[in-house]
Amino acid sequence: PLNEGDLTTVNGEFDDLIFGALQISHSATIADIASSSSPEDRSKLFYHEATSCILRSPLEYAACFRDMPIFLSSGFDLSIDDCFQQNIVNDFQDYGQCDRFNETTTSGWWHRHRQSYAARQLFAYEQGLGWSFAAWKLYTDEDDDSVGVLDTPAKLLSLRDVVAAGLFPDMNNDTVALDACLNPPEADFAMGDTTYAPTMGPPPDCGNGWWNYTTEKCDYWIPPPEPTPSPTKGCPVCDECGKDAAAALGTSGALLVGVIVGGLVTGLVMRALGNDKRSEYTPIPN
């Protein structure tokens, strides 16, 4: 078996039937393992997702520059730490990485990103001769109802449980694995399954009106009606009209008679006092 460092020293001076067996690890350093909070757990998976596609590099390097095809013999699993060794090995180092594994069992976020992690690894390891998953199954009864329920870290190394959980790509459909490394993983590890409170959407289009948030309907400005002309005095009733006309006619007739009589009296007085002044003139001959 070889590690990644060994690939820089071997060459293809062996028989054509010789191939290398590569061993890799997801928990080689403290940085690969340690996390002390839920966001850090999610960011750790995001990190492993983002770097899993470049694991094709040692396989292609050995085939192209060392003339030695490589088979991935160890390291293909969905673990991102060494929690499966807790309570097993005596020198296990607890960095807080295993305290919240129960949060991942029914989480939609962890399910989506583990699917992505599996597909990215599959694409990378298929660039060599082939791959071998960490383990086929755990030592459980065949009728165990918990198969596919990822409630312990060890099940992330069990191909039967990973497939039963719906995390492994369909081997009869190459599209999932081929498309896995075309885009980076979704960087939503800060929120996880938590979502932001929904924000108010835009109001409906009310045209020339506006949306009334109180009545929840469109309101429109209705202009007041055009002002009417000043009101005029109505026509009098016929019987009143006759009375008014007779009264006006009587007043006017009395005034006219008074004026005529006054004029006659004045003329007589002037004639009586002044005689006929025209009689004193001498007529001009024709």
Side-chain angles (χ1 to χ4, degrees):
L2 305 171
N3 58 39
E4 295 174 76
D6 295 333
L7 297 180
T8 61
T9 59
V10 299
N11 53 51
E13 57 193 18
F14 307 103
D15 188 271
D16 293 340
L17 300 179
I18 300 298
F19 66 92
L22 180 64
Q23 293 180 335
I24 62 173
S25 174
H26 303 304
S27 55
T29 66
I30 297 176
D32 293 336
I33 300 171
S35 59
S36 56
S37 65
S38 297
E40 289 181 5
D41 293 341
R42 294 191 295 267
S43 65
K44 185 169 62 176
L45 176 55
F46 174 80
Y47 163 76
H48 283 280
E49 275 185 276
T51 58
S52 58
C53 288
I54 63 175
L55 294 175
R56 62 183 292 182
S57 299
L59 305 177
E60 295 176 333
Y61 172 81
C64 294
F65 298 100
R66 296 299 174 183
D67 197 22
M68 176 177 287
I70 298 296
F71 175 83
L72 184 78
S73 61
S74 176
F76 190 5
D77 55 64
L78 299 190
S79 66
I80 56 174
D81 45 45
D82 57 349
C83 291
F84 68 95
Q85 294 181 343
Q86 190 178 24
N87 302 323
I88 298 178
V89 297
N90 295 327
D91 58 347
F92 179 80
Q93 298 295 319
D94 187 0
Y95 302 102
Q97 69 271 25
C98 307
D99 297 340
R100 295 161 301 279
F101 188 83
N102 61 312
E103 296 179 2
T104 71
T105 302
T106 59
S107 168
W109 188 92
W110 282 90
H111 184 85
R112 295 192 306 272
H113 284 264
R114 281 171 174 166
Q115 278 183 322
S116 170
Y117 187 32
R120 293 170 188 274
Q121 288 187 89
L122 179 63
F123 172 76
Y125 301 148
E126 283 185 339
Q127 308 312 309
L129 284 180
W131 50 267
S132 174
F133 207 79
W136 158 234
K137 65 178 181 177
L138 301 179
Y139 288 102
T140 58
D141 295 333
E142 292 296 332
D143 57 350
D144 188 357
D145 293 335
S146 67
V147 173
V149 180
L150 305 180
D151 50 2
T152 62
K155 289 188 175 182
L156 296 175
L157 283 72
S158 167
L159 183 59
R160 184 176 71 160
D161 287 279
V162 168
V163 172
L167 302 181
F168 205 82
D170 184 2
M171 298 297 293
N172 296 320
N173 184 0
D174 296 335
T175 304
V176 177
L178 291 175
D179 294 346
C181 291
L182 293 180
N183 298 294
E186 187 175 357
D188 57 350
F189 53 85
M191 294 294 294
D193 291 314
T194 306
T195 58
Y196 290 104
T199 56
M200 183 179 297
D205 184 7
C206 295
N208 295 327
W210 66 92
W211 179 254
N212 189 325
Y213 286 96
T214 302
T215 61
E216 296 185 348
K217 65 179 182 179
C218 291
D219 283 349
Y220 299 91
W221 168 251
I222 302 177
E226 294 293 333
T228 59
S230 300
T232 55
K233 186 177 181 180
C235 296
V237 183
C238 295
D239 55 349
E240 294 180 358
C241 180
K243 294 178 181 179
D244 292 342
L249 183 57
T251 303
S252 300
L255 180 60
L256 181 59
V257 172
V259 171
I260 294 174
V261 172
L264 293 175
V265 172
T266 302
L268 291 175
V269 172
M270 293 296 295
R271 185 174 184 81
L273 294 179
N275 297 320
D276 187 7
K277 298 285 185 187
R278 293 178 179 267
S279 63
E280 299 179 358
Y281 291 99
T282 301
I284 296 175
N286 294 332

